[in-house]
Amino acid sequence: MSWFVIFGTMLIIYPIAFFMKKRLSITEIYPTVVFGMFVSTLVDAFASYHKAWGFFEVDKVELSALWIIIGLYPIFAAMIINCYPYRGARWEKTIYLIVWSAFSTSYEWLSIKVGILWHIKWNLFYSFLLYPFIYFLLIIHVKFYRRLNKQIR
């Protein structure tokens, strides 16, 4: 069932991401997604070591986790930063981050139910509280990247 969820998600999300209106250039999306993958991999490794959460089986590092790290994380990160209302009001930005956090928490719940993810010293409420900060870190990276690009030109 876990592979059905992973590949089913890919079958749904990849076409949506491919055909969505691109508000950011690939040169803005790519480094931010790579940065997000790096940070998430470090956090996931740290959490797994401390038995907070991990992928598939407890006390095992599995190559199958790469399907999530490489197959799902980047596309969701690209969608989050691409659709973010950069010029919107503060309340729009806040609602946007809360909606993505609710979606991510729901997907995390599903991942736990089908055995993709486990929690020991962690729970979904912590995730819901942490997701807005994680996504805001990606937004900050986009803004930082833009500022660096202006200095180079």
Side-chain angles (χ1 to χ4, degrees):
M1 183 60 140
S2 61
W3 293 107
F4 177 76
V5 170
I6 291 169
F7 291 120
T9 301
M10 288 177 164
L11 283 173
I12 294 167
I13 294 301
Y14 272 82
I16 291 170
F18 183 75
F19 291 111
M20 74 181 171
K21 181 181 177 186
K22 306 300 187 281
R23 297 180 182 175
L24 300 178
S25 69
I26 191 68
T27 59
E28 291 172 313
I29 294 173
Y30 181 77
T32 302
V33 167
V34 171
F35 168 76
M37 287 173 54
F38 174 72
V39 171
S40 67
T41 301
L42 286 177
V43 171
D44 288 343
F46 182 80
S48 183
Y49 177 77
H50 290 286
K51 304 248 187 308
W53 73 80
F55 296 107
F56 299 104
E57 292 187 44
V58 180
D59 289 334
K60 267 187 154 180
V61 175
E62 296 191 40
L63 286 176
S64 50
L66 289 176
W67 284 103
I68 293 127
I69 295 167
I70 295 173
L72 294 178
Y73 281 3
I75 202 67
F76 281 117
M79 290 174 72
I80 290 166
I81 63 172
N82 184 65
C83 298
Y84 182 75
Y86 291 93
R87 292 191 173 109
R90 184 169 287 182
W91 68 268
E92 290 175 292
K93 295 174 183 180
T94 302
I95 295 295
Y96 181 83
L97 294 176
I98 289 171
V99 168
W100 266 107
S101 297
F103 169 79
S104 299
T105 304
S106 300
Y107 193 82
E108 186 173 329
W109 173 83
L110 176 64
S111 297
I112 291 166
K113 292 297 177 192
V114 299
I116 296 169
L117 195 61
W118 53 264
H119 285 174
I120 294 177
K121 298 177 184 175
W122 195 256
N123 66 48
L124 291 172
F125 182 70
Y126 298 157
S127 294
F128 180 74
L129 294 177
L130 190 60
Y131 280 127
F133 296 104
I134 294 168
Y135 300 148
F136 190 64
L137 184 63
L138 293 175
I139 302 307
I140 290 171
H141 187 274
V142 170
K143 292 178 179 183
F144 174 72
Y145 181 81
R146 286 176 174 172
R147 194 169 289 158
L148 284 179
N149 252 355
K150 283 183 182 177
Q151 289 178 356
I152 293 172
R153 294 177 189 196

